[in-house]
Amino acid sequence: MRPVIDIEVLHRRLSESLDLLRDTYSTSRECPGGGWYHELATPEPGSTATALGLMAFAEAREPFEHFDDGLSFLAHRQARSRSDLVDGGWATKTSMERPVVEATAWIARFLGRSRCGLKDGAPDAERAYRWLTANQNADGGWGSMRGCRSRVWLTCLALRALHELNPYAPAVDRGCEWLMTHRVSAGTVWGELPGAGPKVTHTAFALLTLAQARPEWSGTRLLSAYQWLELELTNSGGDPYVWIETYNVQPDLPGTHANWRLALWHYGLPIAMSALLRHPGGAPAAVICDAFDTISRADVRDSPWNEAAAGGTSLWSVWWRAEALTDLLRFPLARPGDTLVWLPEAVVVQRASARDKPLSALLPAPPRRSLRRFLARHWAGFLLPGLAASGLIGLMTHVWGLRDFLLSLILPTVLIPIQEARIRARRRGSQPQ
């Protein structure tokens, strides 16, 4: 199969995701504004899901009529306190009203990406920034809050948010070094925690984070991780890498022995596709196209997450797919050193490593035609002249009569149009929809 990205399909799938978000937006009964819950069928919105829903529209550059209402909802949910460890953050529904990185980092990143910090009624991005820096652990990573064990996913969330708000923050330097120090598998890739087994999802998310925060590392310090990720996806057989990372959180709160359980919903294939777009050796076309085919094959309502979302549709599957499709649509395929061959009806990106080769040498070779396959597909067409020739010989030698000769031509004459119709139907069915 040729490596092909159908932009029409990409736009259609992206529009389906945004239409689903429009249809499932709901107002809050508890505070001003509205938004979404991660199970889209649940009417009462949550903070993280609302930020992701709004960010999906902002990333796609699509207007949304309830955008300001969503900002009002998030502003109302932002914590207020005299403590820097609490003030400016957001809680999840399972964190006992205590702000955590799982929510705050997503919302802070949305505020930075959408550039709405000065908009009337918007949450306070500066206070969110201070919360993230105050809750960084002494080792440079992040747990759910300061004092909780640093985790790879949460450190990536915090770094992506901080880089949007202030890429020059010392906390970003320390967080990037923590990620590099806590790789597994011979210091190449990442797992859930330092010392855990390697995971496609965490490796892809770490690469995506470092490509944003430290792009100069990609070609030297991170090349082996990109190569590992490419090999894993090549051998995956279309695995969407859908799973839930769960863990206990024991915050260091005076006078309490609080202990709660949090869950991170991972949909790793779209993240891995976005990471491999940034491969320092050039995006691996076959792997990217296979991932795109898996992600875009079905409607978002048929996502692998639906069973986990109480039979409905999960906002996480909508978000990860929408972000990956938007990333694919916008990411520049040409890199420094590449050459663009600009034809009247096509544009070819010729990699820097192949700039001295003629264009004809880079194009896929035409499929070799097999005589056996050709005869198998067109046997009816060969049968007619063969019978006609043998019949004429039979007439000339008086072995056949004229009636026998004419009757022998009836069957191939009927079979030829039937076979050609089947060939045309098969070709139409093999074309991408």
Side-chain angles (χ1 to χ4, degrees):
M1 185 179 71
R2 289 186 304 150
V4 172
I5 300 292
D6 190 328
I7 300 299
E8 182 181 355
V9 173
L10 191 158
H11 277 286
R12 184 164 65 245
R13 293 308 186 202
L14 187 57
S15 295
E16 289 169 357
S17 298
L18 298 180
D19 288 343
L20 177 60
L21 291 176
R22 288 189 178 95
D23 293 341
T24 52
Y25 172 88
S26 62
T27 56
S28 173
R29 297 187 296 265
E30 300 177 354
C31 58
W36 298 267
Y37 189 59
H38 77 85
E39 295 172 1
L40 292 177
T42 301
E44 185 58 34
S47 299
T48 309
T50 297
L52 290 174
L54 296 177
M55 187 155 55
F57 285 99
E59 292 290 280
R61 298 172 186 168
E62 285 282 337
F64 179 55
E65 60 271 26
H66 299 296
F67 193 86
D68 290 350
D69 294 331
L71 290 178
S72 297
F73 175 81
L74 293 175
H76 185 84
R77 289 289 186 91
Q78 190 171 20
R80 290 170 174 78
S81 172
R82 293 181 179 179
S83 170
D84 289 341
L85 297 178
V86 176
D87 184 68
W90 282 266
T92 69
K93 288 195 173 183
T94 55
S95 66
M96 301 173 62
E97 300 184 357
R98 177 81 178 193
V100 289
V101 167
E102 289 86 340
T104 305
W106 277 116
I107 299 167
R109 180 169 181 252
F110 156 65
L111 296 175
R113 294 287 295 175
S114 61
R115 301 293 188 265
C116 60
L118 298 179
K119 192 173 179 61
D120 292 339
D124 191 331
E126 184 175 348
R127 288 168 53 221
Y129 167 78
R130 289 200 299 266
W131 187 95
L132 287 170
T133 55
N135 279 274
Q136 186 177 25
N137 284 331
D139 62 7
W142 277 266
S144 292
M145 60 190 70
R146 186 174 179 85
C148 295
R149 186 179 183 184
S150 296
R151 305 182 70 88
V152 169
W153 188 268
L154 301 183
T155 299
C156 290
L157 285 180
L159 283 173
R160 297 187 85 193
L162 287 175
H163 190 267
E164 292 294 342
L165 297 172
N166 179 12
Y168 307 104
V172 175
D173 292 328
R174 295 173 57 220
C176 290
E177 288 300 336
W178 184 91
L179 276 181
M180 296 300 293
T181 302
H182 291 87
R183 290 179 288 179
V184 298
S185 185
T188 299
V189 296
W190 288 266
E192 301 169 53
L193 292 163
K199 289 285 196 306
V200 162
T201 307
H202 291 76
T203 297
F205 205 43
L207 288 175
L208 202 55
T209 301
L210 293 170
Q212 175 186 4
R214 295 293 179 268
E216 66 275 12
W217 292 355
S218 295
T220 53
R221 302 179 70 180
L222 298 174
L223 179 59
S224 58
Y226 280 104
Q227 293 170 339
W228 180 89
L229 185 61
E230 179 183 356
L231 182 62
E232 287 294 312
L233 259 65
T234 301
N235 299 328
S236 70
D239 186 348
Y241 298 102
V242 174
W243 60 292
I244 300 177
E245 178 184 347
T246 58
Y247 50 94
N248 292 325
V249 177
Q250 294 178 299
D252 184 14
L253 300 176
T256 181
H257 298 286
N259 188 340
W260 62 76
R261 193 165 184 80
L262 292 181
L264 301 172
W265 294 44
H266 296 318
Y267 190 8
L269 186 61
I271 307 170
M273 186 180 81
S274 288
L276 286 177
L277 283 174
R278 293 153 174 82
H279 195 301
V287 177
I288 295 293
C289 291
D290 284 347
F292 170 77
D293 182 66
T294 301
I295 293 168
S296 62
R297 188 177 299 143
D299 185 274
V300 69
R301 293 173 176 83
D302 298 324
S303 161
W305 268 125
N306 290 355
E307 292 182 8
T313 303
S314 166
L315 182 135
W316 289 110
S317 61
V318 178
W319 162 252
W320 286 124
R321 188 166 81 157
E323 185 187 45
L325 294 178
T326 303
D327 196 22
L328 180 60
L329 187 63
R330 298 236 177 91
F331 194 79
L333 296 181
R335 302 170 58 86
D338 293 349
T339 302
L340 290 182
V341 182
W342 206 324
L343 305 175
E345 296 184 354
V347 177
V348 179
V349 179
Q350 190 165 350
R351 297 291 181 212
S353 58
R355 60 187 300 131
D356 295 329
K357 297 181 181 179
L359 184 60
S360 57
L362 304 177
L363 298 177
R368 297 180 62 182
R369 297 189 178 275
S370 167
L371 179 60
R372 180 179 177 182
R373 184 179 178 185
F374 182 77
L375 293 175
R377 294 184 63 181
H378 301 282
W379 60 268
F382 287 100
L383 183 62
L384 180 59
L387 286 175
S390 62
L392 288 173
I393 294 173
L395 283 175
M396 294 171 62
T397 58
H398 304 290
V399 175
W400 285 13
L402 179 60
R403 180 182 176 185
D404 296 327
F405 170 66
L406 295 175
L407 287 174
S408 68
L409 300 181
I410 293 176
L411 180 60
T413 303
V414 172
L415 287 177
I416 288 175
I418 294 176
Q419 186 189 41
E420 291 301 317
R422 290 181 62 187
I423 292 173
R424 287 194 295 270
R426 191 179 301 117
R427 287 173 178 169
R428 286 195 300 270
S430 65
Q431 293 177 350
Q433 300 298 316

